[in-house]
Amino acid sequence: MLPLDPQQAAARTWFESLRTRICAVFEAIEREAGSDAAFDYLPWHRVDPTGAPGGGGVRGVMKGQVFEKVGVNVSTVGGSFEGDFAKTIHGAADDPSFFATGISLVAHMANPHVPAVHMNCRFLVTAKRWFGGGADLNPPLPIATDTDEFHARLATACAAHPGAGDYPRFKAWADEYFYIPHRQVHRGVGGIFYDHLEGDFDENFAFTRAVGEAFLDVYPRIVRRRMDAAFTPADIAQRDAWRGRYAEFNLVYDRGTSFGLKTGGNVDAILMSLPPVATWA
């Protein structure tokens, strides 16, 4: 067990509580669809390169009728970055020690009319302390009303915390980050993305909680609206081709994937973001 200071403990506790509530809502949606699917939880433990205990986490995965594959992971890890990787992390160039706790979620949906989604919130400590995270919508078949509602809810979360939230900036950041250069396309219809939010812990933590609550409010509503929509084989083909783009981004460009693999995280938990089925031309 890693020793935690009050800020680290508060962040970890909230991320774990958000995981519990999200999983309960997703399982309830499966019940509404007549499925008995439930999350399977796999605890994992990490050993730091120094040989000391390095924390760990819990991988949660459900494969159901509505959620073809959804992963909701929580982790709390710490220790020392190896080699030159420390130079790429905010505040770790001179001291490679670190702490990180957070929640990461990716949902790939059976019905092509239900958008896939990604959400992540995290708290990191190096020589600096900061929050990062966001949420972005990834529909194979975009529907304007869903996109608008998703963005509006995140904008409301930002507006409620003007000291930390900046919707225009964070939206632009998501548009820039979730872009696939070799395809010259965006991964989805965006959302918000932020990082290195440091300074006032209470204010930044409150904003990060608001982002998590916004996701828990808006995304299940969109799922319930679309999960019974009729679809065609052409729609499935579009979904699976789009999933190929999603996989390309996560394996080539995603910083979270790189961070997890380079810090000795659980490989199955890190790669839970990949879709169960995808196609390439």
Side-chain angles (χ1 to χ4, degrees):
M1 179 70 70
L2 292 174
L4 306 182
D5 65 30
Q7 291 182 352
Q8 294 167 345
R12 181 197 63 182
T13 297
W14 190 79
F15 293 140
E16 291 178 350
S17 71
L18 179 62
R19 180 273 314 273
T20 299
R21 290 187 291 138
I22 288 172
C23 290
V25 171
F26 286 1
E27 288 181 346
I29 291 173
E30 287 289 334
R31 298 292 86 72
E32 294 164 18
S35 164
D36 61 357
F39 277 88
D40 176 57
Y41 296 104
L42 177 66
W44 57 271
H45 302 280
R46 173 182 173 274
V47 176
D48 192 66
T50 63
V58 178
R59 185 207 70 183
V61 173
M62 179 172 69
K63 297 179 181 180
Q65 181 173 315
V66 180
F67 295 87
E68 186 171 3
K69 178 186 177 185
V70 54
V72 187
N73 297 337
V74 289
S75 62
T76 299
V77 298
S80 296
F81 294 120
E82 290 189 280
D84 290 340
F85 183 60
K87 298 177 182 178
T88 70
I89 303 298
H90 188 56
D94 297 323
D95 179 355
S97 61
F98 78 97
F99 167 87
T101 185
I103 179 173
S104 181
L105 178 154
V106 176
H108 295 290
M109 311 305 290
N111 190 316
H113 297 292
V114 183
V117 76
H118 161 255
M119 188 275 292
N120 170 270
C121 294
R122 56 194 178 274
F123 175 57
L124 283 89
V125 178
T126 55
K128 302 178 182 291
R129 291 177 172 241
W130 78 95
F131 285 93
D136 61 289
L137 203 63
N138 300 272
L141 302 168
I143 301 172
T145 52
D146 295 343
T147 300
D148 292 346
E149 182 177 1
F150 189 79
H151 277 274
R153 186 62 184 84
L154 292 173
T156 298
C158 290
H161 298 274
D166 185 341
Y167 174 72
R169 176 175 172 238
F170 295 164
K171 177 185 181 299
W173 201 340
D175 290 339
E176 178 183 2
Y177 180 70
F178 295 110
Y179 182 74
I180 307 173
H182 65 271
R183 297 284 186 184
Q184 298 185 354
V185 296
H186 288 92
R187 191 176 77 171
V189 296
I192 63 170
F193 180 83
Y194 63 98
D195 208 2
H196 305 157
L197 196 62
E198 55 188 313
D200 188 327
F201 173 86
D202 291 337
E203 182 177 43
N204 296 335
F205 188 24
F207 169 64
T208 296
R209 294 197 304 271
V211 171
E213 298 294 348
F215 170 82
L216 183 55
D217 175 44
V218 69
Y219 185 65
R221 192 159 59 242
I222 294 172
V223 173
R224 287 181 165 112
R225 181 187 304 148
R226 305 297 176 193
M227 66 185 192
D228 294 322
F231 55 85
T232 67
D235 294 334
I236 292 291
Q238 173 67 19
R239 181 201 68 185
D240 292 349
W242 170 86
R243 285 177 173 179
R245 306 295 187 264
Y246 194 97
E248 290 173 15
F249 177 88
N250 279 35
L251 291 174
V252 178
Y253 302 110
D254 186 69
R255 285 161 40 187
T257 301
S258 177
F259 182 92
L261 294 175
K262 290 184 178 181
T263 55
N266 179 270
V267 174
D268 289 335
I270 296 163
L271 297 183
M272 66 83 184
S273 63
L274 297 180
V277 176
T279 61
W280 284 265

